[in-house]
Amino acid sequence: MYNFDFVKPKTLAEAAAAMAGDEAQALGGGQTLIPSLKARLASPTTLVSLGGIKEMVGVCTGDDGSTCIGGATTHGAVAKDAAKLYPALAKLAAGIGDPAVRNRGTIGGSLANNDPAACYPSAALASGATIVTNTRKIAADDYFQGMFTTALDAGEIVTEVRFPVPEKAAYIKFEQPASRFALTGVFVAKYKDGVRVAVTGASEGGVFRWKEAEAALSKDFSAKALAGLSASADGMITDLHGTAAYRAHLVGVLTRRAVEAAA
Amino acid sequence: MKVTMTVNGASRSGEVEGRTLLVNFLRDTLHLTGTHVGCDTSQCGACVVHVNGQAVKSCTMLAAEADGAEIKTVEGMANGDGSLSTIQQAFQDHHGLQCGFCTPGMVMSTAALLKENPKPTEAEVRHYLEGNICRCTGYHNIVKAVMAASGQDVSTIAAE
Ligand SMILES: Cc1cc2nc3c(=O)[nH]c(=O)nc-3n(C[C@H](O)[C@H](O)[C@H](O)COP(=O)(O)OP(=O)(O)OC[C@H]3O[C@@H](n4cnc5c(N)ncnc54)[C@H](O)[C@@H]3O)c2cc1C
Ligand code: FES
Ligand code: FES
């Protein structure tokens, strides 16, 4: 690992100022960034730890009833503290990695990284969440822009994520057994005005909405409504864990299971 | 930069670089070599310690991030008189280790599990220990040791 300066601001304002520096990078829980630094895939000159900023930690209910999660809240805290507010989201958080990863890794880090196999992006997209940064609010539909690519500008910090709470929802992950990331994962969320289905782990373009399934489920929220629908293997990931066709098949299976599990 | 943390009950300080990992500070500066580095890629859990009471992979946390924290390592697990703690004794009694390389992390993860869930089911034990890899035992005896440490009858589970 190349060396860097380490700073740990106490307020968001101080962090934003530190991030304005050339080659400064945010450090969330470090569960992705520290392995990348060890592999010399990243070489910031300054790491700005977000771990000391109290205003970025916690789970609460917003004025409009949405579940609001501070950008530096750990997966473990979401698993516990969002369990009553948004159970499917809490359950997703409880299934990320292992306990030690969940005790450090944060929602802001996961969404900023936008790993094509990560869990949280599917929850944010299926919920039509709002990603709040130190400078603006970004709708999930505009936020995810492809593998490891987001709408975030350099130095921008995810401070909070606001999830409208669905009537019913479930996330089903087909685990890649060694890494526990999603080989493919599907988040289904039913709102009063329609159903949203977001798929992670499958596409070379990162997380995406399966619009055909959304249309069918919005008319009839049942596994039956999905009969005859299949996701296209075009643009899906092929790697040693599974082919594009295999992943496309999983999308259908997991969507059905998610609808059945949705509570 | 200088960091100070409470390690197994005693205040310890030392100089670190920005990039110094918590596990390197524990092993190289404090000479607490009970905490192991098995993979260095955040996957094996041999390096698990408790930071403010929570299980954390010390190879995936900067020492600077632990400034001011309470740390507990496997060296802090034995009873006051030096005898093995209930968890450690159960690992010995049930052959929960062979080479012992993964054991410090297993013991620390087990302690975190039992604090949260004092009487876990076998399935809960296996799920909680997903991030701790053992190359020797095949896990059955580890699970058995954890169940025994929680005071449950293990005569009917997992072969030795
Ligand atoms: C063994 C293991 C298993 C895992 N399994 C899963 C899994 O099953 N599912 C899953 O989804 N993930 C998994 N992960 C990844 C884990 O969820 C990470 O915690 C997460 O991807 C990154 O969050 P972090 O807080 O650790 O971010 P960091 O590693 O600190 O940062 C990641 C990136 O985000 C940036 N960043 C961090 N916080 C912010 C912020 N608030 N605003 C803007 N940018 C920020 C950093 O600069 C960096 O570029 C796993 C990781 C490990 C080590
Ligand atoms: S050495 Fe830390 S997880 Fe393997
Ligand atoms: S006892 Fe050898 S790795 Fe677990």
Side-chain angles (χ1 to χ4, degrees):
Chain A
M1 200 186 319
Y2 295 114
N3 203 12
F4 45 78
D5 293 328
F6 174 88
V7 295
K8 193 165 182 175
K10 290 216 155 41
T11 66
L12 185 55
E14 283 168 33
M19 287 289 291
D22 216 18
E23 315 251 345
Q25 188 167 3
L27 175 66
Q31 301 303 291
T32 295
L33 183 53
I34 292 178
S36 314
L37 289 166
K38 288 182 186 178
R40 295 186 168 176
L41 295 172
S43 51
T45 51
T46 305
L47 268 198
V48 181
S49 166
L50 305 176
I53 305 172
K54 293 215 170 61
E55 60 196 290
M56 276 180 62
V57 178
V59 176
C60 68
T61 300
D63 296 338
D64 59 358
S66 56
T67 296
C68 304
I69 299 179
T73 311
T74 62
H75 311 326
V78 173
K80 283 201 183 76
D81 299 341
K84 290 223 168 63
L85 302 175
Y86 191 162
L89 181 68
K91 200 155 163 248
L92 172 148
I96 294 176
D98 56 60
V101 167
R102 294 194 287 275
N103 284 337
R104 295 291 305 159
T106 67
I107 189 168
S110 179
L111 292 179
N113 194 49
N114 193 20
D115 188 298
C119 300
Y120 267 129
S122 69
L125 190 59
S127 307
T130 302
I131 288 91
V132 183
T133 76
N134 55 319
T135 56
R136 60 190 166 139
K137 298 185 177 69
I138 311 170
D141 281 316
D142 302 325
Y143 177 85
F144 299 103
Q145 302 194 344
M147 259 194 199
F148 298 111
T149 311
T150 68
L152 293 176
D153 292 328
E156 202 170 352
I157 299 170
V158 176
T159 57
E160 185 180 307
V161 189
R162 295 184 189 154
F163 292 88
V165 180
E167 294 170 350
K168 291 179 172 188
Y171 174 65
I172 304 284
K173 160 162 83 160
F174 193 89
E175 268 181 27
Q176 199 278 85
S179 75
R180 288 177 300 286
F181 272 88
L183 182 61
T184 291
V186 175
F187 200 108
V188 169
K190 178 183 185 298
Y191 290 89
K192 216 186 304 171
D193 56 355
V195 176
R196 291 171 64 109
V197 177
V199 179
T200 188
S203 169
E204 287 179 342
V207 68
F208 70 96
R209 287 172 64 187
W210 187 18
K211 299 256 168 98
E212 290 88 348
E214 292 184 352
L217 291 169
S218 295
K219 281 199 206 102
D220 171 15
F221 192 71
S222 75
K224 271 201 321 284
L226 297 166
L229 276 188
S230 58
S232 161
D234 280 354
M236 295 252 175
I237 299 167
T238 289
D239 59 16
L240 78 166
H241 308 297
T243 61
Y246 182 68
R247 283 185 162 85
H249 178 69
L250 275 181
V251 172
V253 172
L254 299 179
T255 303
R256 201 172 62 235
R257 287 186 193 168
V259 171
E260 281 163 353
Chain B
M1 82 188 89
K2 188 179 171 212
V3 295
T4 302
M5 53 193 96
T6 307
V7 181
N8 301 327
S11 176
R12 307 291 299 263
S13 305
E15 275 298 316
V16 297
E17 290 186 314
R19 64 179 164 183
T20 306
L21 298 167
L22 177 57
V23 71
N24 296 132
F25 180 71
L26 293 171
R27 289 178 56 88
D28 304 343
T29 307
L30 303 184
H31 304 297
L32 293 170
T33 52
T35 302
H36 291 168
V37 178
C39 66
D40 211 23
T41 54
S42 314
Q43 282 151 329
C44 76
C47 64
V48 168
V49 302
H50 295 184
V51 177
N52 296 327
Q54 292 195 311
V56 159
K57 292 176 183 172
S58 61
C59 79
T60 313
M61 179 171 183
L62 300 176
E65 282 278 51
D67 190 28
E70 286 280 330
I71 311 292
K72 189 162 183 175
T73 68
V74 72
E75 287 91 345
M77 289 301 286
N79 297 322
D81 63 0
S83 63
L84 295 181
S85 64
T86 306
I87 294 172
Q88 291 169 309
Q89 190 62 53
F91 269 74
Q92 188 182 65
D93 292 346
H94 295 277
H95 306 286
L97 60 152
Q98 289 179 18
C99 79
F101 197 88
C102 68
T103 313
M106 290 289 179
V107 167
M108 300 315 289
S109 287
T110 300
L113 165 64
L114 297 185
K115 198 169 63 161
E116 237 175 69
N117 183 357
K119 293 264 183 272
T121 62
E122 187 181 335
E124 285 170 340
V125 172
R126 289 184 188 274
H127 178 60
Y128 197 91
L129 294 180
E130 270 179 349
N132 292 82
I133 291 173
C134 175
R135 290 271 108 149
C136 303
T137 63
Y139 302 99
H140 292 318
N141 287 346
I142 290 175
V143 175
K144 203 165 186 175
V146 177
M147 299 291 283
S150 71
Q152 304 188 74
D153 174 24
V154 296
S155 55
T156 58
I157 65 160
E160 271 191 23

